[in-house]
Amino acid sequence: MTEDPDDTRPRSVRFLDRVRENLDRLSPQEAYREQREGAIIVDVRTETHRGGGPHIPGALVIDLTVLPWRLDPDFAWSVPEAVSPEQRWILVCRHSYATSLAAWTLREMGLSRVTDVVGGFEAWQAAGLPTTMDAPDVRP
């Protein structure tokens, strides 16, 4: 894809748009439906952004810095849920900027069914989808 010389948006925004062209991004409602059908939601929000507030029931909390290793089924320290490169992972952060880049990276790594939620956790919550104050399932 060639850059439009008249596009004055920051290069980070232009890059994010290109990345998102290759993802099958989900609305919060679609993500919720897929979770009920067996997809695994991974919350990559920082501890600060989670702030002891609500989170998505059943979601795994994995730090973005270790995400590629935890979701790689061939890696010695992957999470037990990482059983196949075709596992459906749905990533959530606050607004979905970081997760779009993470999903693209994981797809480049060979995890073919990773995506993210349009609008992130804030969109999930705004849609009135389930949240919980129970302790999150944090995976170091």
Side-chain angles (χ1 to χ4, degrees):
M1 169 186 233
T2 331
E3 288 282 330
D4 177 357
D6 297 325
D7 190 345
T8 59
R9 296 174 305 151
R11 70 180 50 84
S12 58
V13 173
R14 294 190 313 257
F15 179 67
L16 187 61
D17 285 346
R18 288 195 313 271
V19 162
R20 287 177 168 169
E21 289 174 3
N22 298 306
L23 297 174
D24 59 329
R25 303 184 74 219
L26 302 174
S27 70
Q29 296 84 352
E30 291 168 327
Y32 180 56
R33 178 183 47 77
E34 286 201 24
Q35 181 191 35
R36 291 189 329 260
E37 294 171 354
I40 300 171
I41 294 181
V42 178
D43 186 341
V44 300
R45 290 178 297 156
T46 65
E47 188 173 352
T48 300
H49 287 150
R50 288 193 322 272
H55 60 93
I56 298 170
L60 306 181
V61 175
I62 301 176
D63 189 277
L64 198 54
T65 61
V66 296
L67 192 63
W69 295 274
R70 298 299 182 258
L71 302 189
D72 180 358
D74 299 326
F75 193 71
W77 292 283
S78 64
V79 294
E81 294 83 356
V83 296
S84 162
E86 289 81 33
Q87 169 66 44
R88 181 61 154 174
W89 300 104
I90 302 170
L91 309 181
V92 176
C93 66
R94 256 174 69 194
H95 303 281
S96 79
Y97 297 107
T99 52
S100 291
L101 294 174
W104 176 76
T105 300
L106 292 165
R107 282 187 177 221
E108 289 292 307
M109 197 175 89
L111 303 180
S112 62
R113 299 189 61 228
V114 179
T115 194
D116 72 334
V117 175
V118 175
F121 181 77
E122 289 193 3
W124 179 284
Q125 198 169 27
L129 294 171
T131 61
T132 184
M133 291 299 293
D134 293 344
D137 186 356
V138 178
R139 305 295 182 91

